[in-house]
Amino acid sequence: MPSADPIVSAIVEKYRGDPTCVVQILRDAQEALDWVSPETVETIASLLKIPRTRVQAVLRFHTLLYDRPHGRYRVLFADNITDRMTGNIALFEHMLSRLKVKRGEVSSDGLVSVDLTSDAGMCDQGPSVLVNNLAIPRITARRVDEICALIRAQAPVDEWPAELFQVNDNIRRRETLLTPIAPGVALDAAIARGRQGMLDEMKRSNVRGRGGAGFPVGRKWETARNAPGVERYVVCNADEGEPGTFKDRVLLNSFAVRVLEGMAIAGYCVGASKGFIYLRGEYKNLQAKLQREIDEMRAGGRLGASIRGAAGFDFDIEIRMGAGGYICGEGTAMVTSLEGKPGRPRVRPPSMVLVGYLGKPTVVDNVESLAHATEIAVEGGARFAKRGSRFSTGTKLLSVSGDCERPGVYEYQMGVTIGRVLEDCGAKAVSAVQVGGASGMLLTPDEFSRRIAFEDVPTGGSFMIFGVDRDIFEVARNFAHFFAHESCGFCTPCRVGTTIQRNIMDKIAEGRGAHYEVNELKRVVEFMRRFSHCGLGETAGNAVRDALNKFRPAFERRLHGKDFAPAIDLERALEPARRITARDDAEAHLVTEG
Ligand SMILES: Cc1cc2nc3c(=O)[nH]c(=O)nc-3n(C[C@H](O)[C@H](O)[C@H](O)COP(=O)(O)O)c2cc1C
Ligand code: SF4
């Protein structure tokens, strides 16, 4: 077996020996060597001159990186609830049996492993799989057979039929955002307005962040611009990990010019000369195309020094790939991950806008928010603000999936009703809609007149539809599994709470639950909401809480017995785990700071 050292050295060199690129280095090393061995970790650490424990911590943090042999072909079936609804498990089992391999294990010839993963951002065309991180949507039994044959023939993945990797945009409705703006037009418009003028237009537009939290974008940019220091950064949050969301995928695939020029406009307003796109690890299909777009912009004077001839307008963009981990979509975790550390959320204050990437002022904005900046540059803030509702201006992209005739991306003015969306996508006999993904809200037919807007039903864009035949308990159980898997483990209420929540849901599913378990579920949900460190834990119980409140019979029919057991004191029960976390935190500190 040839030594891995020259391969790893070349990879580290490609990234200029920059320790902030450790995720990229680990991804490339895995691609070349199939997994990341302890020796590879050692080599990377010594070449980057950082502790081995730091490389190891990053490796273990990400679900798409493997610290034990995983075969040359690594197949992951997306297991979001909508994938379940389209029969992913039967197809998964079909593949396991065709390849004669057990879930999560490597085949005896060391060739292939097959497992499940949370979500692949393809809910409009599921079930889907990732093969060596490349997405293959619309999986059928025939496709499974085709993939198995290619694996058995040991065909290199980049030589597989391109048709397998064809991902459709499925744009069903468009207004102003899903409309191209010719290259350079938005940049010229921003330059003509000047830095302060463009910032004023952003504020006038009242555009609020499309990643879910809805913070006013113009205000965020202004704070960064006024922050002390000369170095600033722009981060495009393209992690899109919320189950059921895929609209950023479509923007990046077909409207990349708008997103990239939006980033440059952000840089112009805040005074940043460097931007990162943190691209979801599962969107590897988009990486090369996006890079070509960036190169073309640079060659055409739309990136680089003195953009469009404007003195002092210097801005460039680098793509950084994620490697699996929903939590890396959280702004502070993303910045930590960009720095080459495990993507755990930071304690705030200070806010990222003041102390972000490498301690410098940093704006983190969602893909859609940045694309809106181009529209505002061209037409002005006042015109933008005429669309939508009073507190939620402009249009919003919805990723519509589940029980409907036409899943895909729909653009509406903010304020559209749930009922209108259901009508447009051909959804009939609907029992519930989950808006905002696993962390969002479960709405029932009596709420379908409610509106998509920050003042009513806020959302990052996920809109999952469940017909009357669907078991909402199983929907909530799927989300409970998702959160237990995705909790980063940093704080006890979330790490232990999500595990307890998942275990209780499983117990009830197996018919071993009583009213006692239901009461405990309520307490755990509340405990996570109140005491978790970040938004993941705070919202991890939303789906279970809503399902309990709105679909109680789905729980009741699985229960047995009466409320016979005394309620446990959750605070006391969690105490030992809290002590362990404190110890882990201290160690983690040593690892990341060491
Ligand atoms: C667990 C968690 C995951 C998140 N994932 C994403 C994501 O995938 N994309 C995103 O834009 N924002 C995500 N966010 C929100 C970000 O923290 C942040 O608010 C957002 O990127 C800011 O951009 P915006 O102001 O343009 O919305 C997530 C938040 C949490 C708590
Ligand atoms: S709430 Fe969950 S995801 Fe957030 S820091 Fe705590 S353990 Fe990590």
Side-chain angles (χ1 to χ4, degrees):
M1 178 111 176
S3 160
D5 278 7
I7 297 173
V8 178
S9 301
I11 293 169
V12 172
E13 205 169 300
K14 176 178 154 197
Y15 293 97
R16 309 164 306 275
D18 181 352
T20 69
C21 294
V22 65
V23 174
Q24 321 303 306
I25 292 166
L26 286 167
R27 276 186 67 111
D28 284 11
Q30 178 167 289
E31 217 145 279
L33 305 163
D34 300 332
W35 67 292
V36 185
S37 67
E39 295 74 36
T40 303
V41 168
E42 198 74 56
T43 311
I44 292 173
S46 86
L47 291 170
L48 293 179
K49 300 186 183 56
I50 56 175
R52 178 185 50 81
T53 47
R54 177 162 150 198
V55 180
Q56 209 162 40
V58 173
L59 169 63
R60 291 195 179 146
F61 193 79
H62 293 282
T63 54
L64 298 179
L65 296 174
Y66 304 119
D67 63 354
R68 60 191 175 88
H70 256 73
R72 190 160 12 127
Y73 298 90
R74 302 168 294 278
V75 184
L76 292 170
F77 272 72
D79 193 27
N80 182 20
I81 186 65
T82 57
D83 297 300
R84 284 272 165 133
M85 284 156 59
T86 46
N88 69 330
I89 294 299
L91 294 163
F92 173 63
E93 280 164 2
H94 179 56
M95 184 175 279
L96 291 177
S97 93
R98 291 300 301 262
L99 293 171
K100 297 189 176 39
V101 64
K102 288 198 178 116
R103 178 186 170 178
E105 290 180 9
V106 188
S107 58
S108 53
D109 55 3
L111 190 65
V112 59
S113 63
V114 184
D115 209 338
L116 297 172
T117 189
S118 301
D119 177 85
M122 304 280 157
C123 294
D124 55 330
Q125 46 207 301
S128 58
V129 298
L130 298 170
V131 180
N132 295 0
N133 297 344
L134 282 166
I136 303 181
R138 301 181 299 281
I139 292 294
T140 57
R142 203 172 61 77
R143 279 203 152 180
V144 168
D145 292 342
E146 193 180 351
I147 294 168
C148 291
L150 288 161
I151 291 173
R152 274 212 212 89
Q154 303 195 27
V157 178
D158 51 12
E159 289 173 18
W160 289 18
E163 178 257 336
L164 276 179
F165 301 99
Q166 175 62 44
V167 176
N168 299 330
D169 276 351
N170 288 330
I171 295 173
R172 309 287 184 180
R173 190 178 193 281
R174 56 176 97 213
E175 295 214 5
T176 49
L177 188 60
L178 295 176
T179 314
I181 296 178
V185 169
L187 287 173
D188 290 345
I191 292 166
R193 294 180 189 284
R195 289 177 201 269
Q196 187 57 50
M198 184 61 218
L199 192 54
D200 290 342
E201 292 305 322
M202 289 299 290
K203 290 200 297 182
R204 198 164 293 136
S205 73
N206 274 333
V207 61
R208 294 171 66 173
R210 299 314 201 227
F215 193 83
V217 179
R219 244 173 58 205
K220 192 197 295 182
W221 290 11
E222 187 172 53
T223 311
R225 179 183 160 86
N226 294 336
V230 285
E231 214 175 309
R232 292 173 176 71
Y233 294 93
V234 172
V235 176
C236 171
N237 188 338
D239 200 48
E240 194 158 58
E242 191 65 55
T245 320
F246 44 84
K247 48 99 187 169
D248 292 343
R249 182 197 83 210
V250 173
L251 277 174
L252 291 164
N253 186 45
S254 296
F255 300 91
V257 170
R258 291 196 59 165
V259 180
L260 299 171
E261 291 198 7
M263 286 181 73
I265 291 170
Y268 184 56
C269 289
V270 308
S273 56
K274 178 85 193 252
F276 295 103
I277 301 182
Y278 192 103
L279 184 62
R280 181 169 193 200
E282 291 83 346
Y283 287 172
K284 187 181 166 193
N285 311 44
L286 293 173
Q287 187 184 3
K289 191 173 171 193
L290 214 45
Q291 188 59 55
R292 277 198 300 278
E293 202 75 62
I294 291 170
D295 295 343
E296 222 170 88
M297 280 179 73
R298 207 176 285 133
R302 289 181 289 130
L303 279 181
S306 305
I307 291 176
R308 306 292 275 181
F313 183 4
D314 308 335
F315 190 78
D316 217 324
I317 297 174
E318 184 181 331
I319 301 172
R320 291 274 179 95
M321 296 300 296
Y326 168 63
I327 191 58
C328 291
E330 196 273 347
T332 66
M334 179 165 285
V335 165
T336 310
S337 175
L338 279 169
E339 290 174 347
K341 300 172 191 163
R344 291 200 183 88
R346 292 187 187 172
V347 176
R348 282 181 293 188
S351 126
M352 283 292 103
V353 188
L354 301 174
V355 184
Y357 180 68
L358 302 179
K360 309 291 182 215
T362 303
V363 291
V364 179
D365 280 314
N366 174 254
V367 171
E368 189 181 347
S369 313
L370 290 161
H372 273 307
T374 54
E375 207 171 320
I376 295 163
V378 173
E379 69 174 9
R383 186 134 170 233
F384 181 92
K386 287 209 171 85
R387 289 189 286 276
S389 69
R390 184 163 164 225
F391 298 107
S392 308
T393 55
T395 62
K396 178 82 196 86
L397 301 185
L398 298 178
S399 311
V400 176
S401 66
D403 291 319
C404 66
E405 284 163 11
R406 292 174 293 281
V409 174
Y410 290 71
E411 183 182 5
Y412 289 100
Q413 293 198 25
M414 284 279 201
V416 65
T417 63
I418 305 292
R420 168 74 198 277
V421 181
L422 291 174
E423 206 178 298
D424 288 352
C425 69
K428 301 192 180 78
V430 175
S431 75
V433 180
Q434 179 78 21
V435 184
S439 62
M441 296 163 88
L442 184 70
L443 302 176
T444 47
D446 55 324
E447 298 170 286
F448 289 173
S449 58
R450 292 184 64 178
R451 295 176 182 279
I452 300 286
F454 295 108
E455 60 271 30
D456 190 1
V457 181
T459 175
S462 172
F463 192 102
M464 290 187 274
I465 303 164
F466 303 106
V468 288
D469 296 335
R470 300 295 177 190
D471 183 348
I472 298 301
F473 173 87
E474 283 302 334
V475 173
R477 189 158 81 100
N478 181 280
F479 293 156
H481 274 256
F482 170 77
F483 284 115
H485 183 255
E486 297 297 337
S487 167
C488 83
F490 175 73
C491 70
T492 311
C494 168
R495 185 184 43 175
V496 178
T498 52
T499 303
I500 294 176
Q501 173 174 259
R502 180 201 59 200
N503 291 351
I504 295 179
M505 289 297 279
D506 284 350
K507 193 171 175 187
I508 294 173
E510 289 157 12
R512 295 187 296 111
H515 284 101
Y516 167 78
E517 273 73 23
V518 171
N519 290 337
E520 287 311 300
L521 262 183
K522 287 188 197 161
R523 284 158 56 88
V524 170
V525 165
E526 183 55 16
F527 192 81
M528 289 191 291
R529 190 187 67 76
R530 284 176 54 201
F531 299 114
S532 291
H533 172 63
C534 85
L536 187 149
E538 284 162 10
T539 57
N542 286 2
V544 166
R545 180 205 59 212
D546 285 358
L548 262 170
N549 289 341
K550 299 179 185 182
F551 290 88
R552 185 72 179 212
F555 287 75
E556 293 285 346
R557 68 168 174 268
R558 291 175 160 92
L559 303 182
H560 70 84
K562 292 211 164 50
D563 196 359
F564 48 84
I568 57 164
D569 181 339
L570 204 61
E571 297 273 352
R572 275 186 62 191
L574 291 174
E575 190 45 42
R578 198 178 283 127
R579 279 200 300 274
I580 293 169
T581 305
R583 192 199 62 204
D584 286 356
D585 289 351
E587 282 173 9
H589 184 73
L590 288 179
V591 168
T592 51
E593 299 306 313

